[in-house]
Amino acid sequence: MKSIYLTPFVFRATHYEEYKDGVCIGQQNVDIKIISKVINNCAMFHLEGDMPMKIKRNFGLPVFGVERGDILEDRIMYGRLPDSFSWQDPTDPLVCEIFANKTCIRFAMLSPLMIIEFSGYFELIGE
């Protein structure tokens, strides 16, 4: 996992699943490019393509550091869910998880609690 931590990448999503309260409310094949780079302790994300789900196209998440839990056994996690389960913009991701199998990236949003999971592959890791 350390090989992709804090590393710019391009992930080509070919499928997505959207969950609300643990129930899948949407899924389909897609062609979405997720571009990420880290600037000043912030993981910046840009999503390109036709997106049937409600998620911001441009957003940033804080990088807390390895010592504060960014690298877990099976994933990298940027951002965290806040103590309050209320958030002004329900399309604004608060957490990104990049899984060790390198075929899945998940974003979590609040108000209501939603998870959008993208399946696909890395086109580019590093620059």
Side-chain angles (χ1 to χ4, degrees):
M1 293 306 305
K2 288 184 179 182
S3 67
I4 61 172
Y5 181 62
L6 300 178
T7 303
F9 67 79
V10 175
F11 184 84
R12 180 68 70 169
T14 57
H15 185 82
Y16 91 96
E17 295 180 2
E18 186 173 10
Y19 295 89
K20 179 180 176 184
D21 298 323
V23 176
C24 184
I25 60 169
Q27 64 175 320
Q28 72 182 60
N29 292 335
V30 292
D31 182 13
I32 296 173
K33 188 186 291 189
I34 301 170
I35 303 163
S36 178
K37 59 185 172 182
V38 176
I39 301 172
N40 297 328
N41 292 322
C42 189
M44 305 301 296
F45 293 91
H46 173 72
L47 283 66
E48 296 178 352
D50 292 329
M51 298 192 312
M53 74 296 293
K54 294 180 181 176
I55 185 172
K56 279 189 171 179
R57 288 184 175 270
N58 297 292
F59 56 93
L61 298 171
V63 173
F64 290 103
V66 174
E67 64 284 346
R68 294 186 61 203
D70 281 0
I71 298 180
L72 306 172
E73 186 174 317
D74 65 340
R75 71 192 81 174
I76 291 171
M77 184 169 58
Y78 296 125
R80 302 291 190 277
L81 289 177
D83 293 338
S84 166
F85 279 94
S86 176
W87 199 253
Q88 289 181 327
D89 185 349
T91 67
D92 191 13
L94 301 175
V95 177
C96 172
E97 296 173 313
I98 304 166
F99 289 84
N101 63 14
K102 297 183 183 174
T103 63
C104 180
I105 294 180
R106 178 188 297 161
F107 294 101
M109 287 85 65
L110 281 180
S111 298
L113 181 59
M114 302 280 294
I115 293 173
I116 298 177
E117 189 170 285
F118 293 100
S119 300
Y121 57 93
F122 281 90
E123 282 187 336
L124 172 70
I125 299 177
E127 286 190 329

